[in-house]
Amino acid sequence: MRQFMLAIRPGLTWLSLISLYIAGIGMVLMTAIIGWQVFARYVLNDTPSWSEPLSLFLMLWFILLGAAVGVRESVHLGLDIVRYAMPPSIQKLMDLVSLGLIVLFGMAMAFYSTLLAAGTWSATIPVLGWPGGVDFIPMIAGGVMITIFAFERFVDVALDEQIAADVIVQEVA
């Protein structure tokens, strides 16, 4: 398993980096769209109807991609005070349970979002003219990526591998 993880880690690193760039581009685009909406509303007195649904769609992408990368890099919010008070073997068990639950959450998010997308595909988003199920594609992608990245961390913890985020924290301290 260790060799397999070493073989796929560059691909997962690449996927994580691409996700961050897509999230960043989405945030910049959303900011530009909202800026245009404000300008059009207050200066031109003609608010574009497409700006709000499109900016919300972009927001879904950058939030969910960012959350997935946060899982991989272990920078999501957590209350570690109890964990650090435990012996190392209990800390490892707590990490495995936590990461296992995150894997299950990601799988459930992807599965149920797929059901929602399929169920609403025949509807149309009025202003954009897109199928209604398109709104759930970021949730499907985010769920899949959360599952992949949490499983990577789960295997790293199970194999007692040094996780990049932990190394950075130790260097700062």
Side-chain angles (χ1 to χ4, degrees), residues 74 79-88 91 94-95 166 169:
S74 190
L79 299 172
D80 292 340
I81 195 164
V82 174
R83 180 185 171 275
Y84 286 121
M86 299 294 164
Q91 287 182 12
M94 291 172 79
D95 289 343
D166 291 343
V169 169

Side-chain angles (χ1 to χ4, degrees), residues 1-13:
M1 185 58 115
R2 194 176 308 265
Q3 294 302 324
F4 175 73
M5 292 305 292
L6 287 174
I8 67 166
R9 193 166 317 278
L12 293 176
T13 300

Side-chain angles (χ1 to χ4, degrees), residues 11-92:
L12 293 176
T13 300
W14 178 82
L15 181 63
S16 176
L17 186 63
I18 294 297
S19 298
L20 278 178
Y21 278 113
I22 291 171
I25 290 167
M27 187 177 291
V28 169
L29 286 173
M30 188 198 76
T31 303
I33 289 169
I34 294 300
W36 173 251
Q37 179 185 18
V38 169
F39 176 79
R41 176 184 295 152
Y42 293 111
V43 176
L44 304 177
N45 202 22
D46 185 25
T47 304
S49 59
W50 53 267
S51 59
E52 188 171 338
L54 186 58
S55 63
L56 289 173
F57 181 72
L58 291 170
M59 186 184 300
L60 278 173
W61 275 107
F62 74 73
I63 287 173
L64 292 167
L65 291 177
V69 172
V71 167
R72 182 171 197 262
E73 297 180 3
S74 190
V75 294
H76 50 83
L77 293 175
L79 299 172
D80 292 340
I81 195 164
V82 174
R83 180 185 171 275
Y84 286 121
M86 299 294 164
S89 61
I90 301 296
Q91 287 182 12
K92 181 177 179 176

Side-chain angles (χ1 to χ4, degrees), residues 100-152:
L101 289 172
I102 294 170
V103 167
L104 291 174
F105 171 79
M107 291 169 59
M109 188 167 100
F111 176 75
Y112 288 110
S113 296
T114 302
L115 294 179
L116 285 169
T120 59
W121 201 264
S122 60
T124 303
I125 300 172
V127 176
L128 299 175
W130 296 349
V134 169
D135 275 345
F136 298 102
I137 292 174
M139 291 179 65
I140 297 167
V144 168
M145 290 181 54
I146 286 171
T147 301
I148 291 169
F149 291 153
F151 186 72
E152 176 194 19

